[in-house]
Amino acid sequence: MTLSTFTINGNEFHSYATLQEADAYLSLDLKRGTNWAGFTDEVKQQRLAAASRFLDELNWRGEAEDSTRSWPRRNITTQAGTPITGIPQALADATAVLAVNLSTETEDDADIKSHSVGAVRFDRFDNTRTTEKSEYLKTIRPLIGSFLILKLNTPTAYNADGEPFYESRNPFGRSEGIA
């Protein structure tokens, strides 16, 4: 399989699944299929492109073949040891699942929460998007988990004796604290 390209409002977008692949995969999903069928083709394409961008943020095994997209990759195999070339079907399926599950909140809406008490108003950062990303990952992990680097322990600091402290990172490469 190869990277799919859509033109939306004159702009070119890429997806790891074609519209036809997503339609076929989700038509068999009783839970998500009805929601997916309710979207126009243009909205479906937008969601497939957004899902592919989300997938590009993950830490994958192997090396990307080019610097603009995470797939296709080199030096990655199936669990049975067979080299993977192109876009694996599991990634196309995960793109479809993610596309139908994506929230419609904007980043600004999700990150900043405003509260008012009388005439006093305060804004606070809300990490809901990080939680949402973890929830999205849970829905697709059965499909693509074997291709991901799920935890990275990276030395982030050294003590006076030169021993490293390790930082645990999630699949998005974000810190989960010192281990």
Side-chain angles (χ1 to χ4, degrees):
M1 298 177 62
T2 60
L3 196 63
S4 177
T5 303
F6 304 123
T7 302
I8 302 170
N9 297 327
N11 297 307
E12 194 172 274
F13 296 92
H14 301 283
S15 171
Y16 294 123
T18 65
L19 184 56
Q20 294 76 21
E21 289 169 331
D23 284 345
Y25 185 80
L26 292 168
S27 71
L28 300 174
D29 188 326
L30 298 176
K31 184 177 178 183
R32 297 176 187 97
T34 304
N35 291 343
W36 185 252
F39 297 134
T40 64
D41 284 355
E42 185 172 328
V43 169
K44 289 177 182 179
Q45 290 173 337
Q46 290 170 343
R47 285 175 164 266
L48 288 168
S52 296
R53 284 184 180 172
F54 175 94
L55 291 167
D56 283 336
E57 293 180 19
L58 300 178
N59 289 322
W60 299 97
R61 298 184 189 283
E63 297 92 35
E65 288 185 3
D66 74 53
S67 61
T68 60
R69 303 302 301 198
S70 289
W71 285 88
R73 301 187 74 72
R74 292 184 294 270
N75 301 322
I76 187 166
T77 62
T78 65
Q79 288 178 328
T82 307
I84 295 173
T85 58
I87 309 293
Q89 184 63 50
L91 183 62
D93 296 344
T95 304
V97 169
L98 197 55
V100 76
N101 286 348
L102 286 174
S103 170
T104 56
E105 275 191 335
T106 65
E107 286 188 21
D108 292 337
D109 292 340
D111 287 347
I112 304 297
K113 300 294 180 189
S114 297
H115 301 279
S116 297
V117 178
V120 178
R121 177 184 160 191
F122 61 95
D123 297 330
R124 67 176 175 81
F125 177 78
D126 188 4
N127 67 352
T128 304
R129 274 189 347 118
T130 302
T131 303
E132 284 178 2
K133 283 186 172 186
S134 295
E135 290 302 312
Y136 294 149
L137 186 60
K138 284 180 189 175
T139 64
I140 59 174
R141 184 175 285 159
L143 295 167
I144 60 169
S146 65
F147 305 142
L148 293 171
I149 299 171
L150 295 178
K151 291 283 185 183
L152 289 180
N153 286 324
T154 310
T156 55
Y158 297 88
N159 66 17
D161 297 327
E163 297 171 0
F165 290 103
Y166 287 91
E167 180 177 44
S168 180
R169 294 187 174 268
N170 66 19
F172 304 103
R174 293 184 178 82
S175 174
E176 291 185 340
I178 302 291

